Amino acid sequence: MGESNWAGNHAYSADSVVTPHTVDEVRETVAAATRVKALGSRHCFNDIADAPGGVLLDLRALDVPVEIGDGTVTVGGSARYGDFAAQLHAAGFALPNLASLPHITVAGSVATGTHGSGRRQPGLASAVSAIELVTANGELRTFTRAHAEFPGLVVGLGATGVVTRITLDVEPAFDVRQDVFDGLPWEAAYRHFDEIEDAGYSVSLFTNWANDTIDQVWVKSRVDAFTPRTDLFGAVPADGPRHPAHAAGIPADNCTPQQGVGGPWHERLPHFALAFTPSVGDELQSEYFVPYRDAVAAMRAVREIGDLLAPVLLVSEIRAIAGDELWLSPCHGGDRVALHFTWQPRQPEVEAVLPVLEERLAPFRARPHWGKLFHTAGAYPRIDDFRTLAAELDPAGKFRNPFLERHVLGG
């Protein structure tokens, strides 16, 4: 077929790609298919969105208008956050959280439990108040928080249908500033982790796990709640803009404005600007979520294998996310800290270190990000309920694929 994901590390094995322009065209394609999956921004690094021998629905051309209501915004599932955030801000509203990349689609982000950051900010899926999807027989159905199965549908991994519209909660617009600090001592990070995570609305630590200090701390603060500081437990203010992988010599050209310059929420909460290639571009990614209470112990465990990880890493990010009750969310059941790994594009070497990394994190019952590279999926208390729900909405298994069979639904 010749189609691949964003990173180029997975070639899709579907027989064809269909590009619908209307919801009715989605319904017709789904009803007629024997195996079908939806494509968003293709930012997943594994085969979660593949449909071997079937049909891929490229939803980028789907025509669904943005509708801003009283406390909500409704968008097409294929809308990228960066495509409607400015419109939302102009109307006086904001989303409470955004991911590092504004380039990713709403449906794909929500379906895989993509999160953003902030110790008191739950992931992107928690903002979903209604979801419209095309089920296996081509029926168009809408679910809201009033439906008992709703917590199983939001982080749905593409197993229950094709999402065509999503309604998100919004709040009054706000401004954010970014302040970057260099050289946080590891012992200070361990000793003052709670205080560091509380230093801003959203806080990220960047490291390669082998250096003597944590390279950078990015503190994103609401302008209306900003507290000035001249250092951060030994880390000092950066003397210029930083890329997360600054230590690898990568310039900050594609990053959102820093150095305390305030601006709209949607131009500061992401790390990378919509107009540029995000992150490094040519990369692989993994991410693991551990309970917040185990964050320091998990960091110590990973640091012990820093010399193994550093040669294949571009940069690693540590950040907190509030818990939720969505069945397959990596943050289900309590607050989490995410340990994110942006790898060099050397997949055999990365695949070789993942079992060692996962063994280190196993005592903390780590859960991986569904859309990134991993070997073991982790434990989810409601997974049997999810399997029942997927079977009800897709009895013939047309949304199943090898990824779901390996990690979620069973063979």
Side-chain angles (χ1 to χ4, degrees):
M1 187 182 70
E3 299 277 351
S4 67
N5 64 344
W6 186 332
N9 71 309
H10 178 76
Y12 295 114
S13 56
D15 287 344
S16 62
V17 178
V18 175
T19 306
H21 291 79
T22 67
V23 172
D24 282 344
E25 290 177 7
V26 175
R27 297 178 64 185
E28 292 167 5
T29 303
V30 170
T34 55
R35 181 68 62 93
V36 60
K37 300 293 287 186
L39 284 178
S41 59
R42 309 187 188 201
H43 192 248
C44 290
F45 295 83
N46 55 38
D47 58 342
I48 189 172
D50 206 353
V55 177
L56 289 178
L57 280 170
D58 187 336
L59 300 180
R60 286 178 290 186
L62 192 62
D63 184 19
V64 177
V66 176
E67 300 174 5
I68 301 173
D70 183 15
T72 65
V73 61
T74 299
V75 300
S78 60
R80 301 184 305 169
Y81 283 95
D83 292 336
F84 67 91
Q87 182 180 345
L88 189 60
H89 181 78
F93 297 106
L95 295 170
N97 208 348
L98 286 174
S100 298
L101 312 181
H103 310 68
I104 53 180
T105 64
V106 178
S109 304
V110 165
T112 55
T114 299
H115 48 91
S117 60
R119 185 179 178 188
R120 290 167 177 78
Q121 313 308 320
L124 305 182
S126 292
V128 178
S129 61
I131 188 167
E132 175 190 273
L133 73 162
V134 177
T135 56
N137 61 2
E139 183 181 2
L140 188 67
R141 299 184 63 179
T142 298
F143 297 86
T144 71
R145 290 186 179 124
H147 292 89
E149 62 267 66
F150 185 77
L153 290 168
V154 181
V155 183
L157 311 183
T160 58
V162 175
V163 176
T164 48
R165 284 184 179 86
I166 296 183
T167 300
L168 307 170
D169 295 333
V170 297
E171 60 184 65
F174 56 93
D175 285 346
V176 174
R177 58 178 285 161
Q178 292 192 91
D179 295 272
V180 178
F181 296 84
D182 289 340
L184 176 70
W186 279 102
E187 285 304 319
Y190 300 150
R191 198 162 49 247
H192 300 288
F193 188 75
D194 287 351
E195 296 155 277
I196 292 167
E197 286 298 325
D198 282 338
Y201 188 82
S202 168
V203 177
S204 294
L205 286 64
F206 292 100
T207 178
N208 73 349
W209 298 102
N211 289 345
D212 292 337
T213 61
I214 292 172
D215 298 326
Q216 303 168 53
V217 182
W218 288 29
V219 181
K220 300 173 190 274
S221 306
R222 286 183 61 130
V223 170
D224 57 10
F226 173 69
T227 301
R229 60 172 70 238
T230 56
D231 79 330
L232 187 68
F233 300 102
V236 299
D239 59 6
R242 296 284 190 263
H243 187 283
H246 175 77
I250 299 173
D253 300 347
N254 62 1
C255 296
T256 49
Q258 302 165 22
Q259 297 186 285
V261 178
W265 56 278
H266 63 94
E267 295 178 359
R268 299 295 186 277
L269 292 181
H271 296 335
F272 303 101
L274 181 64
F276 296 93
T277 300
S279 193
V280 177
D282 194 7
E283 64 192 44
L284 302 170
Q285 294 182 14
S286 301
E287 188 168 35
Y288 298 92
F289 300 76
V290 300
Y292 186 92
R293 65 181 178 274
D294 295 326
V296 170
M299 290 162 60
R300 289 183 184 275
V302 176
R303 178 123 167 85
E304 290 174 355
I305 57 169
D307 290 340
L308 174 68
L309 303 177
V312 289
L313 264 179
L314 287 165
V315 69
S316 190
E317 181 177 10
I318 304 165
R319 49 188 168 166
I321 313 99
D324 60 53
E325 294 305 319
L326 304 173
W327 296 353
L328 293 191
S329 166
C331 297
H332 176 271
D335 299 347
R336 294 293 189 274
V337 167
L339 309 179
H340 184 277
F341 301 83
T342 300
W343 308 104
Q344 297 175 35
R346 296 157 53 188
Q347 187 149 347
E349 293 99 318
V350 171
E351 294 283 2
V353 303
L354 288 181
V356 182
L357 177 58
E358 292 182 5
E359 182 181 11
R360 286 281 168 165
L361 295 174
F364 314 110
R365 299 177 64 84
R367 297 168 178 163
H369 189 298
W370 291 111
K372 301 180 181 180
L373 297 178
F374 66 90
H375 286 180
T376 304
Y380 289 83
R382 302 296 300 272
I383 196 163
D384 287 338
D385 296 322
F386 182 82
R387 290 168 177 158
T388 299
L389 177 61
E392 290 174 355
L393 294 176
D394 182 23
K398 67 172 58 180
F399 298 124
R400 293 175 73 111
N401 65 5
F403 177 94
L404 290 171
E405 289 167 359
R406 286 196 310 272
H407 297 302
V408 183
L409 302 179

mmCIF file of all heavy atoms in Angstrom, residues 73-98:
data_model
loop_
_atom_site.group_PDB
_atom_site.id
_atom_site.type_symbol
_atom_site.label_atom_id
_atom_site.label_comp_id
_atom_site.label_asym_id
_atom_site.label_seq_id
_atom_site.Cartn_x
_atom_site.Cartn_y
_atom_site.Cartn_z
ATOM 1 N N VAL A 73 -17.040 22.669 23.548
ATOM 2 C CA VAL A 73 -16.749 22.811 22.128
ATOM 3 C C VAL A 73 -16.886 21.427 21.504
ATOM 4 O O VAL A 73 -16.447 20.437 22.076
ATOM 5 C CB VAL A 73 -15.346 23.408 21.877
ATOM 6 C CG1 VAL A 73 -14.248 22.518 22.457
ATOM 7 C CG2 VAL A 73 -15.107 23.633 20.389
ATOM 8 N N THR A 74 -17.548 21.368 20.348
ATOM 9 C CA THR A 74 -17.702 20.120 19.617
ATOM 10 C C THR A 74 -16.917 20.222 18.319
ATOM 11 O O THR A 74 -17.046 21.205 17.580
ATOM 12 C CB THR A 74 -19.175 19.827 19.318
ATOM 13 O OG1 THR A 74 -19.898 19.704 20.555
ATOM 14 C CG2 THR A 74 -19.329 18.530 18.533
ATOM 15 N N VAL A 75 -16.089 19.218 18.061
ATOM 16 C CA VAL A 75 -15.238 19.223 16.874
ATOM 17 C C VAL A 75 -15.301 17.853 16.214
ATOM 18 O O VAL A 75 -15.747 16.873 16.807
ATOM 19 C CB VAL A 75 -13.769 19.556 17.241
ATOM 20 C CG1 VAL A 75 -13.671 20.928 17.883
ATOM 21 C CG2 VAL A 75 -13.178 18.493 18.162
ATOM 22 N N GLY A 76 -14.833 17.790 14.982
ATOM 23 C CA GLY A 76 -14.688 16.507 14.322
ATOM 24 C C GLY A 76 -13.571 15.704 14.952
ATOM 25 O O GLY A 76 -12.578 16.268 15.439
ATOM 26 N N GLY A 77 -13.719 14.401 14.949
ATOM 27 C CA GLY A 77 -12.695 13.564 15.555
ATOM 28 C C GLY A 77 -11.338 13.744 14.917
ATOM 29 O O GLY A 77 -10.309 13.560 15.568
ATOM 30 N N SER A 78 -11.310 14.123 13.628
ATOM 31 C CA SER A 78 -10.039 14.278 12.920
ATOM 32 C C SER A 78 -9.436 15.660 13.089
ATOM 33 O O SER A 78 -8.345 15.925 12.583
ATOM 34 C CB SER A 78 -10.239 14.005 11.429
ATOM 35 O OG SER A 78 -11.193 14.916 10.885
ATOM 36 N N ALA A 79 -10.114 16.564 13.805
ATOM 37 C CA ALA A 79 -9.572 17.903 14.021
ATOM 38 C C ALA A 79 -8.304 17.821 14.861
ATOM 39 O O ALA A 79 -8.235 17.066 15.832
ATOM 40 C CB ALA A 79 -10.604 18.785 14.714
ATOM 41 N N ARG A 80 -7.299 18.595 14.482
ATOM 42 C CA ARG A 80 -6.107 18.710 15.312
ATOM 43 C C ARG A 80 -6.344 19.808 16.353
ATOM 44 O O ARG A 80 -6.991 20.817 16.075
ATOM 45 C CB ARG A 80 -4.887 19.060 14.461
ATOM 46 C CG ARG A 80 -4.577 18.044 13.366
ATOM 47 C CD ARG A 80 -3.292 18.405 12.636
ATOM 48 N NE ARG A 80 -3.331 19.766 12.104
ATOM 49 C CZ ARG A 80 -2.264 20.401 11.603
ATOM 50 N NH1 ARG A 80 -1.084 19.802 11.589
ATOM 51 N NH2 ARG A 80 -2.374 21.630 11.134
ATOM 52 N N TYR A 81 -5.790 19.630 17.531
ATOM 53 C CA TYR A 81 -5.976 20.630 18.579
ATOM 54 C C TYR A 81 -5.536 22.008 18.108
ATOM 55 O O TYR A 81 -6.194 23.018 18.376
ATOM 56 C CB TYR A 81 -5.193 20.228 19.834
ATOM 57 C CG TYR A 81 -5.858 19.143 20.632
ATOM 58 C CD1 TYR A 81 -5.511 17.807 20.451
ATOM 59 C CD2 TYR A 81 -6.855 19.423 21.566
ATOM 60 C CE1 TYR A 81 -6.117 16.794 21.180
ATOM 61 C CE2 TYR A 81 -7.463 18.423 22.302
ATOM 62 C CZ TYR A 81 -7.093 17.115 22.105
ATOM 63 O OH TYR A 81 -7.700 16.114 22.830
ATOM 64 N N GLY A 82 -4.445 22.068 17.380
ATOM 65 C CA GLY A 82 -3.957 23.355 16.904
ATOM 66 C C GLY A 82 -4.831 24.013 15.861
ATOM 67 O O GLY A 82 -4.708 25.217 15.614
ATOM 68 N N ASP A 83 -5.734 23.233 15.248
ATOM 69 C CA ASP A 83 -6.586 23.792 14.204
ATOM 70 C C ASP A 83 -7.741 24.625 14.749
ATOM 71 O O ASP A 83 -8.250 25.504 14.057
ATOM 72 C CB ASP A 83 -7.163 22.668 13.333
ATOM 73 C CG ASP A 83 -6.104 21.974 12.497
ATOM 74 O OD1 ASP A 83 -5.061 22.600 12.222
ATOM 75 O OD2 ASP A 83 -6.315 20.807 12.130
ATOM 76 N N PHE A 84 -8.184 24.340 15.983
ATOM 77 C CA PHE A 84 -9.343 25.069 16.502
ATOM 78 C C PHE A 84 -9.060 25.811 17.799
ATOM 79 O O PHE A 84 -9.913 26.542 18.300
ATOM 80 C CB PHE A 84 -10.541 24.126 16.697
ATOM 81 C CG PHE A 84 -10.358 23.100 17.774
ATOM 82 C CD1 PHE A 84 -10.755 23.346 19.080
ATOM 83 C CD2 PHE A 84 -9.812 21.859 17.475
ATOM 84 C CE1 PHE A 84 -10.600 22.396 20.078
ATOM 85 C CE2 PHE A 84 -9.645 20.898 18.466
ATOM 86 C CZ PHE A 84 -10.046 21.168 19.767
ATOM 87 N N ALA A 85 -7.853 25.648 18.356
ATOM 88 C CA ALA A 85 -7.549 26.283 19.639
ATOM 89 C C ALA A 85 -7.620 27.805 19.554
ATOM 90 O O ALA A 85 -8.146 28.465 20.466
ATOM 91 C CB ALA A 85 -6.177 25.842 20.125
ATOM 92 N N ALA A 86 -7.094 28.378 18.470
ATOM 93 C CA ALA A 86 -7.128 29.837 18.333
ATOM 94 C C ALA A 86 -8.559 30.342 18.228
ATOM 95 O O ALA A 86 -8.907 31.396 18.790
ATOM 96 C CB ALA A 86 -6.314 30.268 17.117
ATOM 97 N N GLN A 87 -9.414 29.609 17.521
ATOM 98 C CA GLN A 87 -10.823 29.978 17.408
ATOM 99 C C GLN A 87 -11.503 29.925 18.771
ATOM 100 O O GLN A 87 -12.298 30.797 19.127
ATOM 101 C CB GLN A 87 -11.521 29.035 16.424
ATOM 102 C CG GLN A 87 -12.991 29.334 16.177
ATOM 103 C CD GLN A 87 -13.607 28.362 15.184
ATOM 104 O OE1 GLN A 87 -12.897 27.638 14.476
ATOM 105 N NE2 GLN A 87 -14.929 28.321 15.134
ATOM 106 N N LEU A 88 -11.172 28.914 19.538
ATOM 107 C CA LEU A 88 -11.733 28.773 20.886
ATOM 108 C C LEU A 88 -11.267 29.923 21.771
ATOM 109 O O LEU A 88 -12.068 30.526 22.508
ATOM 110 C CB LEU A 88 -11.298 27.426 21.460
ATOM 111 C CG LEU A 88 -11.940 26.968 22.762
ATOM 112 C CD1 LEU A 88 -13.442 26.833 22.616
ATOM 113 C CD2 LEU A 88 -11.318 25.635 23.194
ATOM 114 N N HIS A 89 -9.985 30.253 21.679
ATOM 115 C CA HIS A 89 -9.445 31.356 22.490
ATOM 116 C C HIS A 89 -10.100 32.685 22.117
ATOM 117 O O HIS A 89 -10.431 33.494 22.997
ATOM 118 C CB HIS A 89 -7.935 31.445 22.300
ATOM 119 C CG HIS A 89 -7.287 32.519 23.114
ATOM 120 N ND1 HIS A 89 -7.031 32.380 24.457
ATOM 121 C CD2 HIS A 89 -6.862 33.775 22.775
ATOM 122 C CE1 HIS A 89 -6.472 33.479 24.912
ATOM 123 N NE2 HIS A 89 -6.352 34.336 23.915
ATOM 124 N N ALA A 90 -10.305 32.899 20.831
ATOM 125 C CA ALA A 90 -10.926 34.151 20.375
ATOM 126 C C ALA A 90 -12.339 34.300 20.908
ATOM 127 O O ALA A 90 -12.832 35.430 21.095
ATOM 128 C CB ALA A 90 -10.924 34.207 18.849
ATOM 129 N N ALA A 91 -12.998 33.168 21.181
ATOM 130 C CA ALA A 91 -14.348 33.203 21.740
ATOM 131 C C ALA A 91 -14.332 33.315 23.261
ATOM 132 O O ALA A 91 -15.395 33.329 23.892
ATOM 133 C CB ALA A 91 -15.113 31.949 21.314
ATOM 134 N N GLY A 92 -13.117 33.371 23.836
ATOM 135 C CA GLY A 92 -12.997 33.555 25.271
ATOM 136 C C GLY A 92 -12.893 32.281 26.074
ATOM 137 O O GLY A 92 -13.090 32.301 27.293
ATOM 138 N N PHE A 93 -12.560 31.165 25.418
ATOM 139 C CA PHE A 93 -12.513 29.874 26.098
ATOM 140 C C PHE A 93 -11.157 29.197 25.938
ATOM 141 O O PHE A 93 -10.352 29.557 25.078
ATOM 142 C CB PHE A 93 -13.613 28.946 25.572
ATOM 143 C CG PHE A 93 -15.000 29.442 25.829
ATOM 144 C CD1 PHE A 93 -15.762 29.972 24.801
ATOM 145 C CD2 PHE A 93 -15.540 29.397 27.105
ATOM 146 C CE1 PHE A 93 -17.038 30.447 25.035
ATOM 147 C CE2 PHE A 93 -16.819 29.861 27.345
ATOM 148 C CZ PHE A 93 -17.576 30.390 26.311
ATOM 149 N N ALA A 94 -10.943 28.183 26.772
ATOM 150 C CA ALA A 94 -9.711 27.392 26.730
ATOM 151 C C ALA A 94 -10.013 25.951 27.080
ATOM 152 O O ALA A 94 -10.979 25.661 27.792
ATOM 153 C CB ALA A 94 -8.683 27.958 27.717
ATOM 154 N N LEU A 95 -9.186 25.058 26.590
ATOM 155 C CA LEU A 95 -9.144 23.691 27.117
ATOM 156 C C LEU A 95 -8.232 23.694 28.333
ATOM 157 O O LEU A 95 -7.229 24.414 28.359
ATOM 158 C CB LEU A 95 -8.611 22.728 26.054
ATOM 159 C CG LEU A 95 -9.482 22.565 24.811
ATOM 160 C CD1 LEU A 95 -8.721 21.774 23.748
ATOM 161 C CD2 LEU A 95 -10.785 21.874 25.154
ATOM 162 N N PRO A 96 -8.531 22.908 29.346
ATOM 163 C CA PRO A 96 -7.699 22.932 30.555
ATOM 164 C C PRO A 96 -6.322 22.339 30.356
ATOM 165 O O PRO A 96 -5.407 22.615 31.137
ATOM 166 C CB PRO A 96 -8.513 22.118 31.559
ATOM 167 C CG PRO A 96 -9.401 21.263 30.734
ATOM 168 C CD PRO A 96 -9.715 22.045 29.502
ATOM 169 N N ASN A 97 -6.131 21.552 29.307
ATOM 170 C CA ASN A 97 -4.853 20.871 29.112
ATOM 171 C C ASN A 97 -4.629 20.633 27.629
ATOM 172 O O ASN A 97 -5.583 20.515 26.849
ATOM 173 C CB ASN A 97 -4.837 19.536 29.863
ATOM 174 C CG ASN A 97 -3.455 19.101 30.284
ATOM 175 O OD1 ASN A 97 -2.446 19.654 29.847
ATOM 176 N ND2 ASN A 97 -3.392 18.109 31.155
ATOM 177 N N LEU A 98 -3.377 20.572 27.237
ATOM 178 C CA LEU A 98 -2.989 20.226 25.878
ATOM 179 C C LEU A 98 -1.760 19.331 25.942
ATOM 180 O O LEU A 98 -0.978 19.381 26.894
ATOM 181 C CB LEU A 98 -2.656 21.473 25.049
ATOM 182 C CG LEU A 98 -3.826 22.346 24.593
ATOM 183 C CD1 LEU A 98 -3.298 23.614 23.924
ATOM 184 C CD2 LEU A 98 -4.740 21.592 23.631
#
